[in-house]
């Protein structure tokens, strides 16, 4: 049986499902709700996208973010 995601990992995916009203709102939510710097948040998020537990937990969000990541890599 596959392990569950940690609360912080679930929080990261939950934050990625939301939309934010303006510049800085997402970064503020990252700091206030998860107590992470934006840089650390994005490092954790990137690792989470490759975690099979994350895909099992929220396949829609993880697959969407994987597509975005791949598109950005292709633009480089």
């Amino acid at each position: 049986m596959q392990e569950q995601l940690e609360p912080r990992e679930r929080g990261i995916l939950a934050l990625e499902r939301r939309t934010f009203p303006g510049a800085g709102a997402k970064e503020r939510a990252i700091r206030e709700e998860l107590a992470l710097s934006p840089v650390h948040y994005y490092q954790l998020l990137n690792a989470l996208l490759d975690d099979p537990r994350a895909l099992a937990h929220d396949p829609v969000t993880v697959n969407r973010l994987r597509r975005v990541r791949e598109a950005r890599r292709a633009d480089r």
Side-chain angles (χ1 to χ4, degrees):
M1 185 168 143
Q2 196 161 299
E3 290 182 33
Q4 297 294 319
L5 292 175
E6 297 293 324
R8 179 167 69 176
E9 294 168 327
R10 288 193 304 271
I12 289 170
L13 291 175
L15 199 102
E16 285 299 318
R17 282 192 298 271
R18 293 168 40 194
T19 56
F20 294 92
K26 183 175 184 179
E27 286 73 18
R28 194 165 35 257
I30 290 167
R31 290 181 191 280
E32 293 173 1
E33 297 174 25
L34 300 174
L36 294 170
S37 72
V39 169
H40 191 207
Y41 171 86
Y42 287 110
Q43 289 170 339
L44 292 171
L45 174 62
N46 195 46
L48 199 53
L49 295 182
D50 296 323
D51 189 328
R53 297 172 308 141
L55 183 61
H57 177 78
D58 190 346
V60 173
T61 301
V62 171
N63 283 324
R64 176 180 57 83
L65 293 171
R66 284 178 175 178
R67 285 191 303 273
V68 169
R69 180 175 68 179
E70 290 307 312
R72 286 186 179 144
R73 285 181 179 167
D75 287 345
R76 291 183 190 160

